[in-house]
Amino acid sequence: MRRLLLSLLVAAALVPGAAIADPVKGGTIDVATIGEPPTLDPMANTGDLLGMITQHVYETLFTFDAEWRLQPLLAEAMPAISDDGRTYDIKIRPGVTFHDGEKLTAADVVASLQRWMKLASRGKQAAPMIESVAATGDLAVQIKLKQAYAPLLSLLAFNNSAAVIMPKAHMDDPLTDVVGTGPYKLAERKPDQYILLTRFDAYAARTEQPSRYAGKRTAYLDEIRFIPVPNANTRIEGAVSGQYDFSDLLPVESYDKLTGNTEPVILKSFGYPIMMLNTKQGPLAKLELRQAVQAALSESDMMLAAFGKPEFFTVDGAMYPEGFPWRSDAGVDTYDLGDPEKAQALMEKAGYAGEPIRILTSQQYEFHYKMALVAAEYLKAAGFKVDLQVSDWATLTQRRNDPALWDIFFTHSPFLPEPALNLGMSESGPGWWSTERRRTAFDAFNAASDPAQRAKLYGDVQAAIMEEVPFIKVGDFNALSAKSPKLKGYDPSPWPSFWNTWMEK
């Protein structure tokens, strides 16, 4: 499974022959984020911003290493799985302490997974396949499935709509107490000002070598302060002036400005922007109108407007780029058409009567906003009436949960190792894609255990996506952030993490 998943590089080169200082404890870093998360409950929202922050506080049973291989985190080891693939026996790592001083037990794990299946979109995705979750000892849990389900461990490991482990006594809905097992704990939250995390001195780290999200996590920093900075230009200027030690997701045209007190960080083949379509309610619940939207768009123009420099994007309709086992060309002939006549024919077939297509976007992700502007013009040219609604990201992530409030919203995702993790794959998540075509393709894919067979079956999943248009992949892009030259140990990743990092004196 060693393959080209993510090519990572820090754009500023180290001075040849320079010694790398040993890690040191102490200090505070200021991290400029694209905005304020709507909640600090990792189960209640699918926003990447939320996962980026809360992964320092909460932990999952399993996680991913630098090559996207599954590894244990709060679990002592990978589970024992029965020959029929239906029973998972999981041992819990002993000696793990919550931030409130209580020891982690199997009862906490069972209660957390039950909450996840009830509340989180990823948990709801897995729940129909799960027969039971039960403690089989103080530090042992057994999950029984109704049938073999290959994505289970990836869903348990993912930090988006995450299966984090909480104390049984602190899992109200909505969440009132933020208590996890991570290397940092919540010290203070001042809405629209900062979220302050401080080192958890009783943290029980793993002993394996660090590898992205897996292995040993060491809290060298005293504090991490996440500061919402919705304006991209402010994040850039704050990075250049040295005000921020890390500035997340910057416009690619700022690359040449990142000198002096900061340096650019490029995450190559980061992921893809995506237009989610509301298949449950409103005009786009009609298949022909979704297909009309797809036919009307020029994704190449959208990508050019969003990223400008060709070296920062690729126009590609396949759900995965070259190098992934899931790469398929099934259905890509519907991509990047920019064909108003075809769109109009589909609109007429659907009986489109001029209902406004409500598009949600946010300027906090500037590339979302630029793509939305271009998409709106192409849809208007095809004859759609467009209502472009611009809000802050936290508001957008709340509104997208209500199918009565939108028809399209813009978001993005990294390329993920398990297709079941991708946006739009859950019938219970925003978009609510639930059809017989989807179930037939996905049930066969998820039931298969052989990697080669699953890779072949994924072509049918992609064909169903292209045919039924629950979402539209716009293209592939590289992500640009910036960090202080004094911030050491940072490993570029889709959800920036700051354990194992330190500030050079």
Side-chain angles (χ1 to χ4, degrees), residues 323-345:
F324 283 79
W326 316 118
R327 173 72 184 189
S328 172
D329 291 327
V332 296
D333 56 342
T334 62
Y335 175 77
D336 198 29
L337 297 181
D339 187 341
E341 288 80 13
K342 181 175 181 178
Q344 288 162 9

Side-chain angles (χ1 to χ4, degrees), residues 155-415:
L155 287 165
L156 291 175
F158 198 37
N159 80 337
N160 181 295
S161 189
V164 296
I165 306 304
M166 305 173 169
K168 189 176 181 181
H170 297 286
M171 53 178 66
D172 295 335
D173 179 25
L175 197 65
T176 55
D177 300 318
V178 178
V179 181
T181 59
Y184 288 90
K185 59 184 179 179
L186 178 66
E188 185 179 16
R189 181 184 187 184
K190 287 195 173 183
D192 299 318
Q193 294 186 49
Y194 60 80
I195 295 170
L196 179 65
L197 307 184
T198 58
R199 184 193 301 116
F200 177 42
D201 289 327
Y203 177 64
R206 297 194 68 89
T207 58
E208 298 93 340
Q209 284 295 312
S211 178
R212 188 66 55 74
Y213 305 111
K216 187 175 183 179
R217 299 178 173 185
T218 302
Y220 293 113
L221 300 165
D222 292 334
E223 299 176 331
I224 307 170
R225 185 161 44 222
F226 293 95
I227 303 171
V229 186
N231 186 279
N233 287 328
T234 306
R235 292 202 300 279
I236 295 166
E237 296 305 320
V240 172
S241 69
Q243 179 181 0
Y244 304 129
D245 301 295
F246 188 91
S247 293
D248 195 29
L249 288 177
L250 302 176
V252 296
E253 57 265 26
S254 68
Y255 177 86
D256 293 333
K257 299 179 183 179
L258 301 177
T259 59
N261 293 306
T262 193
E263 60 189 24
V265 179
I266 298 175
L267 184 55
K268 206 170 182 182
S269 295
F270 169 79
Y272 56 102
I274 190 169
M275 297 171 65
M276 295 296 300
L277 278 61
N278 186 346
T279 70
K280 185 175 184 178
Q281 188 171 336
L284 298 187
K286 293 182 178 180
L287 172 60
E288 292 84 1
L289 282 188
R290 297 198 303 274
Q291 292 172 334
V293 169
Q294 180 185 57
L297 295 174
S298 169
E299 284 87 350
S300 56
D301 281 356
M302 292 168 66
M303 293 297 287
L304 183 62
F307 298 103
K309 297 182 177 182
E311 59 266 35
F312 278 96
F313 71 90
T314 303
V315 178
D316 183 12
M319 295 305 300
Y320 281 91
E322 296 289 350
F324 283 79
W326 316 118
R327 173 72 184 189
S328 172
D329 291 327
V332 296
D333 56 342
T334 62
Y335 175 77
D336 198 29
L337 297 181
D339 187 341
E341 288 80 13
K342 181 175 181 178
Q344 288 162 9
L346 287 162
M347 292 160 69
E348 184 176 349
K349 183 179 179 182
Y352 178 65
E355 304 96 324
I357 305 299
R358 297 158 298 172
I359 302 177
L360 306 184
T361 191
S362 173
Q363 288 181 290
Q364 288 170 244
Y365 288 111
E366 192 172 83
F367 64 100
H368 291 188
Y369 176 67
K370 290 178 177 178
M371 286 186 296
L373 292 176
V374 175
E377 293 307 312
Y378 271 94
L379 293 179
K380 290 176 187 176
F384 282 105
K385 183 178 179 181
V386 176
D387 177 12
L388 184 62
Q389 300 180 12
V390 184
S391 69
D392 63 88
W393 183 245
T395 299
L396 188 153
T397 61
Q398 291 289 357
R399 296 190 69 196
R400 71 188 185 187
N401 292 322
D402 186 342
L405 298 180
W406 63 277
D407 301 300
I408 296 172
F409 73 82
F410 276 82
T411 185
H412 66 273
S413 172
F415 292 112

Side-chain angles (χ1 to χ4, degrees), residues 59-127:
E59 295 179 310
T60 47
L61 291 171
F62 307 98
T63 191
F64 295 102
D65 67 15
E67 295 188 352
W68 291 107
R69 294 172 300 199
L70 285 159
Q71 301 291 351
L73 185 54
L74 288 177
E76 187 172 39
M78 296 304 293
I81 305 174
S82 63
D83 290 342
D84 63 3
R86 293 181 52 198
T87 302
Y88 289 64
D89 284 298
I90 303 168
K91 292 183 178 180
I92 310 303
R93 192 151 50 94
V96 176
T97 304
F98 286 108
H99 298 156
D100 64 355
E102 295 297 318
K103 292 291 185 182
L104 169 65
T105 69
D108 301 304
V109 174
V110 171
S112 295
L113 295 184
Q114 289 172 340
R115 183 181 191 269
W116 177 66
M117 289 187 289
K118 178 182 177 182
L119 180 63
S121 63
R122 308 283 182 188
K124 292 177 183 178
Q125 183 177 346

